[in-house]
Amino acid sequence: MTADGTYHSGLYDFEEVILYDMEQDPHQTRNVAADHPEIVNLMEHRIANWLQEQMNKPGYKADPMQKVIETGPYKYLTEDDWVRRLRSKGYEDAAAKLLGRRADEGMKPAYEF
């Protein structure tokens, strides 16, 4: 989770909270999070509890996935590298969105080189 309690969206344009009805919508086309805030709250509570349990175990080391969730997918490429790559493939709109998020979220590399 990021400092404000949300997951880092990385290079993808995800909604802040996503919940799907897998029985009625197996292809995950309709986000029903707004229709079911009680389920969203329950799931967020379960995740927070699970993470707390893991951190309290002897020998616990930081979960690499949590690091990626916090900082985005910048282990092997910097954000500027991703922007250059997007632009070189003709995805200028995606590059602009990524740069816009930089100012909004204060993105940083997952690991310093």
Side-chain angles (χ1 to χ4, degrees):
M1 291 188 176
T2 60
D4 66 355
T6 60
Y7 288 103
H8 194 288
S9 59
L11 299 176
Y12 302 99
D13 194 17
F14 291 123
E15 296 174 61
E16 187 174 332
V17 177
I18 301 173
L19 178 68
Y20 297 109
D21 180 339
M22 296 304 293
E23 290 180 4
Q24 299 299 315
D25 183 18
H27 300 290
Q28 303 174 1
T29 60
R30 183 173 178 270
N31 182 1
V32 296
D35 300 336
H36 301 283
E38 71 287 353
I39 294 174
V40 171
N41 289 336
L42 174 64
M43 298 309 292
E44 287 177 347
H45 182 74
R46 286 181 177 176
I47 290 170
N49 284 344
W50 182 85
L51 286 172
Q52 190 64 41
E53 287 173 10
Q54 302 313 305
M55 292 187 315
N56 288 331
K57 289 182 178 179
Y60 171 79
K61 294 188 175 156
D63 181 351
M65 180 56 118
Q66 283 303 115
K67 191 68 173 173
V68 171
I69 288 170
E70 290 172 13
T71 61
Y74 304 112
K75 181 173 181 178
Y76 301 107
L77 292 174
T78 66
E79 183 182 339
D80 289 332
D81 292 332
W82 278 113
V83 168
R84 278 193 293 280
R85 180 178 235 171
L86 288 168
R87 285 180 171 156
S88 75
K89 302 290 183 182
Y91 296 106
E92 183 58 43
D93 289 347
K97 276 186 180 180
L98 187 58
L99 288 172
R101 271 195 248 160
R102 176 188 293 175
D104 294 342
E105 298 179 6
M107 294 190 298
K108 60 185 185 299
Y111 302 93
E112 297 298 327
F113 297 103

